[in-house]
Amino acid sequence: DLWREAQRIDLARTGWTLVELGIIADATQAGMTADTVSQLPGGDITIALQDLTPDGADSADLLSARDKASRLSACATIAMEHAVTQWWDLGLDHTAEA
């Protein structure tokens, strides 16, 4: 429980927008490759975001999501990967509450 709380606090410091989280969800539709601590800041999320091409109005949000993901600590990376995986597994809506 302490580890999960540390992850939650660390991730909350990043301050994601709903649009940025939507971009991350779209980029990670195929799922996360492994439940391990990545050598790359932002882990699988950073890898998935690199594969997206910015277009029009979304380009600033994509660049912001890439920047924030690249600055995540290992703890926050795991928290984000778990949160995204749970969101997909539960089939939740793209809302602030979900």
Side-chain angles (χ1 to χ4, degrees):
D1 289 341
L2 183 60
W3 174 235
R4 291 281 184 207
E5 183 64 10
Q7 290 176 338
R8 186 194 66 73
I9 291 168
D10 199 12
L11 182 59
R13 291 180 180 152
T14 311
W16 299 92
T17 67
L18 194 55
V19 173
E20 291 166 343
L21 292 174
I23 290 169
I24 289 171
D26 289 342
T28 58
Q29 288 183 53
M32 302 296 157
T33 58
D35 190 19
T36 60
V37 178
S38 174
Q39 297 276 339
L40 180 69
D44 292 338
I45 294 168
T46 298
I47 294 167
L49 290 173
Q50 293 306 318
D51 292 340
L52 292 182
T53 305
D55 59 348
D58 291 339
S59 66
D61 291 314
L62 174 57
L63 294 175
S64 177
R66 283 180 180 166
D67 182 53
K68 288 179 182 178
S70 71
R71 291 182 282 139
L72 289 175
S73 67
C75 183
T77 297
I78 292 170
M80 177 63 87
E81 290 177 353
H82 283 177
V84 170
T85 299
Q86 287 176 338
W87 183 82
W88 275 112
D89 288 348
L90 294 172
L92 298 174
D93 295 328
H94 185 67
T95 61
E97 293 77 21

